[in-house]
């Protein structure tokens, strides 16, 4: 299997559902070195609680759990309109399970015993399209935001703002921080932020913190 750039996993949160406590701990200990957060649980009830209260980017779930079924769990969360990429792990090759997984549009499955390199590469394959989609959306946001302003000097600042957004679309910086990196006057910078605020593109939420309102670009 070709080695992947596993650094892309660092920004993602993983929910791992496995009732074998030893396997759960071993695999989680490895994954925590590669991902942002690993939420390791033994029951679907715990898993649902995580989904309702935490940001989860991908689910890894065993098919057969103690007194329950991973497939049923996935059906349950999809009925709640929770649609998150999923990787199934199974010690079984029962065709019925795999057919059910296909119907649920599960992204991939791994046969136990888990090969950790295979698991990491599978995570990469599942999450890479999300990163690519985010990059495309980011570039589109740059183009649309630039079209909303008229001063070409501000283009690099717009790119900087969008490329600096965190996972919650928040940008944190003061005018001084920006001026230290770009040759732009404070009045020009203030005008840019005012223009973006008037168009509801950049919303100030607290001191030095702004939320990039992507939905405001839809009408541009």
């Amino acid at each position: 299997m070709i080695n992947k750039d596993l650094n892309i996993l660092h920004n993602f949160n993983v929910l791992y559902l496995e009732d074998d406590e030893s396997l759960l701990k071993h695999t989680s200990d490895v994954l925590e070195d590669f991902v942002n957060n690993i939420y390791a649980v033994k029951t679907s009830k715990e898993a649902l609680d995580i989904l309702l209260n935490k940001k989860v980017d991908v689910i890894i779930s065993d098919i057969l759990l103690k007194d329950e079924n991973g497939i049923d769990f996935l059906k349950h969360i999809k009925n709640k309109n929770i649609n998150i990429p999923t990787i199934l792990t199974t010690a079984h090759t029962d065709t019925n399970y795999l057919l059910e997984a296909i119907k649920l549009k599960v992204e991939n499955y791994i046969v136990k015993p888990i090969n950790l390199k295979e698991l990491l590469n599978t995570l990469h394959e599942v999450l890479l399209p999300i990163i690519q989609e985010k990059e495309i959306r980011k570039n589109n946001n740059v183009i649309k935001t630039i079209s909303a302003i008229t001063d070409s000097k501000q283009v690099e600042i717009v790119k900087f703002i969008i490329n600096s957004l965190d996972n919650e679309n928040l940008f944190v910086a003061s005018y001084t921080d920006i001026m230290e990196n770009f040759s732009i006057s404070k009045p020009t910078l203030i005008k840019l932020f005012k223009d973006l605020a008037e168009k509801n593109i950049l919303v100030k939420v607290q001191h030095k913190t702004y939320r990039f309102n992507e939905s405001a670009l839809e009408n541009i």
Side-chain angles (χ1 to χ4, degrees):
M1 185 175 292
I2 299 173
N3 289 327
K4 312 287 186 180
D5 177 13
L6 298 179
N7 288 324
I8 71 168
L9 305 181
H10 289 318
N11 293 322
F12 293 97
N13 299 328
V14 176
L15 169 62
Y16 181 29
L17 173 57
E18 168 61 63
D19 62 354
D20 183 324
E21 191 165 350
S22 176
L23 177 59
L24 182 69
K25 183 179 188 310
H26 175 65
T27 307
S28 298
D29 286 346
V30 174
L31 289 178
E32 69 180 2
D33 291 333
F34 292 91
V35 302
N36 185 40
N37 287 303
I38 175 76
Y39 303 114
V41 296
K42 293 192 293 184
T43 68
S44 60
K45 184 176 183 298
E46 293 173 294
L48 182 59
D49 184 60
I50 293 294
L51 289 173
L52 295 176
N53 293 285
K54 303 288 184 180
K55 182 180 183 297
V56 173
D57 299 294
V58 62
I59 298 170
I60 302 171
S61 175
D62 190 15
I63 285 184
L64 289 182
L65 302 161
K66 184 178 180 181
D67 300 325
E68 53 183 336
N69 186 308
I71 297 289
D72 290 338
F73 168 66
L74 294 181
K75 289 179 180 178
H76 178 66
I77 63 174
K78 285 184 180 294
N79 286 336
K80 290 183 172 291
N81 291 319
I82 300 174
N83 296 298
I84 296 174
T86 302
I87 299 167
L88 288 176
T89 64
T90 176
H92 305 267
T93 55
D94 189 319
T95 305
N96 292 330
Y97 286 126
L98 299 182
L99 288 175
E100 285 294 312
I102 291 170
K103 290 177 183 178
L104 289 169
K105 298 182 180 180
V106 169
E107 276 64 23
N108 214 325
Y109 76 94
I110 294 176
V111 177
K112 292 180 176 179
I114 294 175
N115 179 302
L116 289 170
K117 183 176 181 180
E118 180 186 0
L119 177 59
L120 288 168
N121 279 301
T122 301
L123 277 171
H124 179 281
E125 291 171 2
V126 169
L127 294 172
L128 182 60
I130 296 175
I131 294 174
Q132 293 171 331
E133 182 182 350
K134 186 175 181 180
E135 285 301 314
I136 292 171
R137 191 168 68 245
K138 185 188 294 183
N139 290 335
N140 287 337
N141 287 344
V142 169
I143 294 169
K144 289 182 177 181
T145 305
I146 288 171
S147 71
I149 59 178
T150 57
D151 191 339
S152 60
K153 295 179 182 179
Q154 301 170 350
V155 170
E156 289 303 315
I157 308 299
V158 169
K159 290 181 179 178
F160 174 71
I161 290 171
I162 292 176
N163 287 328
S164 300
L165 296 174
D166 65 14
N167 289 334
E168 303 298 324
N169 266 5
L170 293 177
F171 171 73
V172 181
S174 66
Y175 292 148
T176 302
D177 294 333
I178 298 173
M179 290 165 60
E180 286 177 353
N181 291 282
F182 297 93
S183 178
I184 187 170
S185 68
K186 190 169 184 177
T188 301
L189 189 57
I190 291 174
K191 180 180 183 302
L192 168 62
F193 274 68
K194 182 179 178 182
D195 288 346
L196 295 176
E198 287 178 349
K199 293 177 173 63
N200 204 32
I201 295 171
L202 208 60
V203 181
K204 188 170 185 178
V205 293
Q206 62 184 47
H207 181 56
K208 297 198 303 183
T209 303
Y210 304 83
R211 185 178 301 280
F212 185 82
N213 181 19
E214 193 172 329
S215 62
L217 300 177
E218 294 176 1
N219 298 321
I220 293 177

